[in-house]
Amino acid sequence: MQKLVKKEYQIPFILVTSLFFLWGFAHAILDVLNKHFQDVMNISRTHSAWVQVMFYLGYFVMAIPAGLFINKYGYRKGVVFGLLLYGAGSLLFIPGEYWMSFQFFLFSLFVIACGLVFLETAANPYMTELGERETAASRLNLAQSFNGLGCICGPLVGGLLLFSEEGNSNISLPYTLMGILVLTVALVFSKVRLPEIVHEEDTDNQGQARGLWSHKLFIFGIVALFCYEIAEISINSFFINYVVDDGWMNARDASVVLSFGGLGLFMCGRFAGSWVMRKIRAEKVLFFCAVGTVVTSSLIVLNLGIISLIALFLGYAFEAIMFPTIFALSLRGLGNHTKRASSYLMMSPIGGAVGPLLMGYVADQSSMSFAFIVPLLSFIVVMMYAWKTLK
């Protein structure tokens, strides 16, 4: 069995893996914030979905500039700049709570998202290069498992602080703590050295240079990641609405269940996926999981009571390996195009803005369970991509 990480890259692997936790936390706390804004500001589900829209719009707007910055200044400076933006955006929640302005909160989330783009555009491709090509998907899944840990802590901490038993509003508190932590991590990364990865030039069989857009699987990978983001963020955004509307539990309890239930399975799925991919081809694992998400999403749409609820949780386990696996497979063999390709792939989280709007609209027009038709259709596209990689 091949080593997952080359010996000389073990310290950089550990340091960069810590970043996955930080952006997992930032993503997951949004799902609690969404419901909190509905309650505190008395807005509709469609209106509250603008939390995700502005957040993931930051990814779309900043992805290419982030790629250009990292291409010129390297991975480490990209990480530090991203952390500074992340920390600054978090601290903007302090004046945001003073004014209680929904628009200012949205701007703060946009700044945080711009910082996360730099982190993800640097960290994801960096992880794929810290060992052999064959273990890239397994290695990225292992690192992304700590993203899953952050996803557990986000709703847990956010839910306990935002949904207080006394009914008081504490919107800025979790973000203030997060901002202080992130700026401390930025200071650490500004002092350490990360080895830069030198990429070979991408050539065809005749030795001629190949353009990035000649890689059809990379293009399909962008589409698949976009659809995956629609599905993942839509489900997370309306998990609390789904279980509350169906009378399973209240919002505060739902935020805890989202952490330990859904996102706990999500984290375990990534750890398990990383281990399985060292024995079974990543393409086969991706296809199996894609079929699993199509089945579970269909069961939720059918509104079968407890069966649909179980399917909701199982879906987290199946979807867990999708983003890192599609990302790694899409970058395979791109050579010196890797950093630029990564920035294009990081535009795909705009799906996280589209999905909640679509799902919120469908839910307002029909029911919360039928709204899961949005992630179902998205997972079908991911399944088609997985089938394509098997050929």
Side-chain angles (χ1 to χ4, degrees), residues 28-39:
I29 199 172
L30 285 182
D31 308 322
V32 181
L33 195 63
N34 190 325
K35 177 62 176 173
H36 186 67
F37 279 140
Q38 292 174 31
D39 296 339

Side-chain angles (χ1 to χ4, degrees), residues 45-369:
R45 286 175 290 203
T46 304
H47 194 182
S48 72
W50 279 96
V51 167
Q52 273 78 14
V53 172
M54 288 302 295
F55 191 80
Y56 292 103
L57 184 63
Y59 275 80
F60 187 77
V61 170
M62 196 57 67
I64 292 178
L68 294 172
F69 183 95
I70 292 165
N71 219 23
K72 183 174 182 178
Y73 297 106
Y75 289 113
R76 186 180 67 85
K77 289 183 179 179
V79 165
V80 172
F81 188 66
L83 288 168
L84 291 175
L85 284 174
Y86 181 177
S90 298
L91 295 179
L92 284 175
F93 266 69
I94 298 173
E97 183 172 36
Y98 177 77
W99 291 313
M100 281 305 287
S101 166
F102 185 60
Q103 288 74 21
F104 193 84
F105 284 129
L106 293 180
F107 171 73
S108 304
L109 291 170
F110 180 82
V111 175
I112 292 173
C114 290
L116 296 183
V117 176
F118 277 84
L119 294 185
E120 296 196 49
T121 304
N124 281 309
Y126 194 72
M127 280 296 173
T128 66
E129 300 291 340
L130 298 182
E132 299 300 328
R133 167 181 164 174
E134 292 75 16
T135 59
S138 176
R139 187 166 48 253
L140 187 53
N141 268 281
L142 178 59
Q144 286 272 6
S145 300
F146 292 90
N147 174 271
L149 181 60
C151 287
I152 291 176
C153 295
L156 179 62
V157 174
L160 294 176
L161 294 178
L162 292 173
F163 298 120
S164 67
E165 293 180 348
E166 295 79 18
N168 297 324
S169 176
N170 297 300
I171 297 176
S172 69
L173 182 56
Y175 280 92
T176 301
L177 297 174
M178 191 162 65
I180 294 170
L181 174 62
V182 167
L183 292 177
T184 303
V185 175
L187 180 63
V188 172
F189 270 89
S190 68
K191 303 296 183 183
V192 300
R193 288 190 62 189
L194 291 179
E196 282 294 319
I197 307 296
V198 179
H199 300 285
E200 296 179 359
E201 187 174 3
D202 178 33
T203 58
D204 58 22
N205 295 332
Q206 285 74 43
Q208 299 295 317
R210 299 176 63 190
L212 174 60
W213 301 107
S214 66
H215 295 269
K216 294 181 179 179
L217 200 59
F218 163 71
I219 298 172
F220 199 174
I222 295 176
V223 176
L225 277 181
F226 173 75
C227 290
Y228 166 75
E229 291 287 353
I230 288 177
E232 183 206 8
I233 305 306
S234 297
I235 293 171
N236 289 347
S237 299
F238 291 104
F239 176 95
I240 294 176
N241 282 103
Y242 177 78
V243 297
V244 171
D245 288 2
D246 278 23
W248 297 107
M249 60 195 76
N250 60 40
R252 183 180 172 87
D253 292 341
S255 67
V256 177
V257 171
L258 174 60
S259 290
F260 290 107
L263 298 177
L265 282 169
F266 187 83
M267 182 185 71
C268 292
R270 281 191 171 165
F271 275 118
S274 176
W275 180 78
V276 170
M277 285 180 201
R278 300 183 71 180
K279 303 175 182 294
I280 302 174
R281 283 176 58 205
E283 295 89 338
K284 290 183 178 179
V285 178
L286 178 61
F287 181 71
F288 173 81
C289 290
V291 172
T293 55
V294 170
V295 172
T296 53
S297 299
S298 299
L299 291 173
I300 299 170
V301 171
L302 293 173
N303 195 18
L304 301 175
I306 190 67
I307 294 176
S308 296
L309 184 64
I310 293 171
L312 175 63
F313 285 100
L314 288 177
Y316 278 97
F318 284 123
E319 75 174 62
I321 60 96
M322 287 183 174
F323 184 91
T325 306
I326 296 170
F327 200 99
L329 293 177
S330 299
L331 289 180
R332 183 176 289 178
L334 295 186
N336 61 325
H337 298 306
T338 299
K339 290 179 181 177
R340 187 159 63 98
S342 176
S343 68
Y344 286 117
L345 290 172
M346 286 315 306
M347 294 178 73
S348 65
I350 190 65
V354 176
L357 275 180
L358 288 174
M359 197 166 176
Y361 177 78
V362 175
D364 286 337
Q365 301 302 313
S366 55
S367 67
M368 201 63 249
S369 57

